Amino acid sequence: MEKFVKLTGVAAPLPVVNIDTDMIIPKDYLKTIKRTGLGKGLFAEARYKEDGSENADFVLNKPAYRNAQILVAGDNFGCGSSREHAPWALLDFGIRCVISTSFADIFYNNCFKNGILPIVVSPENLEKLMDDAGRGSNAVLTVDLEAQEITGPDGGTIKFDVDPFKRHCLLNGLDDIGLTLEKAASIANFEKANAVAHPWA
């Protein structure tokens, strides 16, 4: 998993509450277990018209936000079903950080396991960040996970809290497999000792 230490990128505003996982990645795109290729389906029902052409009014289709890496969204982001394809689609599109006032628990945890940093801020700070994100190509934020702060285009900073264990995993690029491999030497030693103690096993 790619490490997340500091990210500087364009932030796209999505001031919609209760964005569920079906809106993030519609069920039509759930026919694969691959993590790649899902970016084209991200917010598909809002990004595309019925004829498949782009909806020019949707934020991620606007020139200033096509390469957005940060999403500033309304309350209760990622609610609904527990589909892991939702963070996969965000990551495949290029989104590495989502900022909101609250997240659905399963989606929140899935983000950390896939290299995305979900940040919870107060409603007042979300309003400030939404205003920053509304500046088009000037909507550049810097998210520093080590310092646990967001710096806006005018230099103002907002502090945020992250669970220390989840922070450690993101800073070091450790998913569940990576965490297990950190104990590879201990596992190997156990297997050797177990083979000696139980040669019939």
Side-chain angles (χ1 to χ4, degrees):
M1 186 172 78
E2 186 179 350
K3 295 179 181 180
F4 190 115
V5 181
K6 182 186 285 189
L7 170 68
T8 297
V10 170
L14 194 59
V16 180
V17 299
N18 300 321
I19 294 175
D20 63 20
T21 52
D22 189 51
M23 181 177 176
I24 296 171
I25 183 73
K27 61 182 181 299
D28 296 348
Y29 294 87
L30 305 185
K31 299 170 185 174
T32 179
I33 57 172
K34 294 180 180 178
R35 300 185 184 204
T36 57
L38 289 170
K40 65 183 178 183
L42 180 67
F43 299 117
E45 292 178 356
R47 276 172 70 197
Y48 307 113
K49 299 177 181 178
E50 288 187 9
D51 62 3
S53 63
E54 288 189 352
N55 173 10
D57 292 330
F58 186 69
V59 63
L60 295 180
N61 289 336
K62 296 180 179 179
Y65 300 108
R66 284 186 177 274
N67 296 311
Q69 293 179 281
I70 300 166
L71 199 60
V72 182
D75 190 55
N76 197 28
F77 190 88
C79 58
S81 64
S82 60
R83 62 186 66 165
E84 196 167 9
H85 292 70
W88 292 355
L90 286 163
L91 191 63
D92 193 59
F93 180 86
I95 303 293
R96 294 292 316 279
C97 177
V98 182
I99 304 170
S100 180
T101 50
S102 68
F103 294 88
D105 287 342
I106 295 176
F107 174 83
Y108 183 79
N109 290 318
N110 280 341
C111 280
F112 284 101
K113 293 179 180 181
N114 287 282
I116 297 173
L117 173 60
I119 298 176
V120 176
V121 296
S122 68
E124 295 76 22
N125 283 333
L126 186 75
E127 187 176 347
K128 293 175 187 175
L129 292 167
M130 198 70 75
D131 181 64
D132 286 339
R135 301 184 185 190
S137 58
N138 293 320
V140 176
L141 301 180
T142 295
V143 179
D144 188 331
L145 181 54
E146 285 189 310
Q148 294 184 202
E149 64 181 23
I150 304 164
T151 304
D154 294 333
T157 60
I158 292 172
K159 300 291 286 186
F160 62 88
D161 293 319
V162 180
D163 174 82
F165 174 71
K166 289 181 169 66
R167 177 173 175 268
H168 167 78
C169 290
L170 268 186
L171 286 172
N172 293 281
L174 299 171
D175 57 11
D176 289 345
I177 295 173
L179 282 167
T180 302
L181 292 177
E182 279 196 317
K183 307 293 184 184
S186 297
I187 294 170
N189 289 336
F190 172 81
E191 291 294 342
K192 286 180 183 178
N194 189 57
V196 172
H198 307 95
W200 60 85

